[in-house]
Amino acid sequence: MDEVFKALADPSRRRLLDDLNARNGQTLRELCAGLDMARQSVSKHLGVLEAANLVTTVRRGREKLHYVNAEPINAIAERWIDRYHQGRVDALADLKKALEQEPMSTDEFVYTSYIRTTPERLWRALTDPVFTKQYWGCEFTSDWKPGSTMAWEQLGVKLEDSEQVVLESDPYRRLSYTWHTFTPEFAKSAGLDDDVLAKLRAESRSKVTFALEPVGDTVKLTVVHDGFDPGSAALEMVKGGWPSILSSLKTLLETGEPLPDPA
């Protein structure tokens, strides 16, 4: 965590995080335009933030987009927060809330975590229903071949749909699939009212991509969930719930036990 506190100690780096929190997914050129700072200096500050995992990047063609990443703050809050005095606890809680809950002007969710595991174990955790039930609270069933359907079973409800399919499957490296179907049965089991269900069912189907990259004795997991409509209700649900799910995945692989209450 030393890298995180070092990165947050500089006001220019905090300003960069503020800019990304206001509008996520910016290029270096866009970030430079909002700061009275040389491009080289902005690039160096971004390097420090990336090294601390507070910022993650995704390549889109020739461009490299920068996103705020809440994972390090989750790690502090969920594992070590009781070691800090109340003033630091309050500051971390405020930052955690800002990183996870403030609306960002982007129609996607991006999250990066470094997990002390192997690509093979992480792949199994993403595809084996015995694993997914532990940290996600649901079971995914598929042969994990491109074009194959996948079934979702959660809270006693099974979700299957011809458009709920695997898009990419490169074992131990990359997995992508369309997001699940919202049915009345699922809404009832999850406690969603009719208005929310109607909005979810009217939205375009999104997709999620998991990219696995070995880094020393860890695996860098980058999750990109995109394809949402502007003002998407599904995206707000993802932003609210997925950081905890992904933190639980990391904890399960590193300790053998998920975080409490995966559902």
Side-chain angles (χ1 to χ4, degrees):
M1 290 295 104
D2 288 347
E3 295 86 354
V4 176
F5 289 111
K6 176 184 175 182
L8 293 174
D10 187 278
S12 295
R13 290 194 281 272
R14 294 198 298 271
R15 171 69 185 278
L16 280 169
L17 289 175
D18 287 341
D19 285 355
L20 287 173
N21 196 44
R23 184 167 69 86
N24 225 0
Q26 296 188 58
T27 63
L28 175 59
R29 175 179 54 80
E30 291 171 324
L31 287 167
C32 289
L35 294 171
D36 184 19
M37 194 185 307
R39 181 185 180 93
Q40 185 177 14
S41 297
V42 175
S43 183
K44 286 182 178 179
H45 283 308
L46 285 171
V48 174
L49 290 169
E50 286 187 60
N53 202 24
L54 285 162
V55 165
T56 189
T57 59
V58 175
R59 285 281 183 183
R60 294 286 168 80
R62 292 185 174 183
E63 294 186 323
K64 184 165 76 168
L65 305 182
H66 300 79
Y67 295 85
V68 173
N69 185 41
E71 193 274 342
I73 306 304
N74 278 331
I76 293 171
E78 291 166 357
R79 301 184 186 192
W80 294 286
I81 201 164
D82 59 347
R83 299 185 185 181
Y84 298 95
H85 61 68
Q86 191 59 45
R88 292 184 179 180
V89 169
D90 292 341
L92 290 170
D94 289 344
L95 180 57
K96 182 175 187 289
K97 181 178 180 181
L99 290 176
E100 291 184 359
Q101 297 180 3
E102 288 297 317
M104 299 177 185
S105 55
T106 182
D107 297 323
E108 57 192 337
F109 170 85
V110 180
Y111 193 97
T112 297
S113 181
Y114 289 82
I115 305 174
R116 191 176 297 276
T117 188
T118 64
E120 292 79 10
R121 288 191 70 233
L122 180 50
W123 181 269
R124 184 184 175 195
L126 293 172
T127 58
D128 187 331
V130 174
F131 269 86
T132 60
K133 186 175 183 180
Q134 292 183 70
Y135 68 89
W136 208 315
C138 60
E139 300 177 54
F140 300 151
T141 305
S142 177
D143 62 13
W144 301 109
K145 296 178 181 178
S148 294
T149 58
M150 56 178 292
W152 245 67
E153 189 164 354
Q154 182 181 23
L155 303 173
V157 176
K158 191 168 186 176
L159 307 173
E160 295 181 280
D161 192 287
S162 60
E163 295 184 6
Q164 191 172 289
V165 298
V166 179
L167 300 173
E168 297 179 67
S169 184
D170 184 357
Y172 321 131
R173 294 182 60 189
R174 188 175 178 88
L175 177 67
S176 180
Y177 49 81
T178 55
W179 194 229
H180 75 78
T181 305
F182 296 99
T183 66
E185 293 78 16
F186 172 79
K188 182 178 180 180
S189 67
L192 303 178
D193 62 35
D194 292 342
D195 290 342
V196 173
L197 175 61
K199 186 172 184 180
L200 290 169
R201 289 171 66 87
E203 293 181 6
S204 302
R205 188 182 292 271
S206 61
K207 67 180 176 70
V208 59
T209 302
F210 301 89
L212 290 66
E213 179 186 347
V215 180
D217 60 354
T218 69
V219 179
K220 178 183 179 182
L221 174 65
T222 300
V223 182
V224 179
H225 197 152
D226 56 10
F228 295 99
D229 294 336
S232 167
L235 176 57
E236 291 309 307
M237 292 171 65
V238 167
K239 285 181 177 180
W242 279 44
S244 176
I245 290 170
L246 295 170
S247 292
S248 191
L249 165 63
K250 175 181 172 71
T251 302
L252 173 63
L253 287 172
E254 292 184 345
T255 71
E257 294 289 338
L259 294 175
D261 301 322

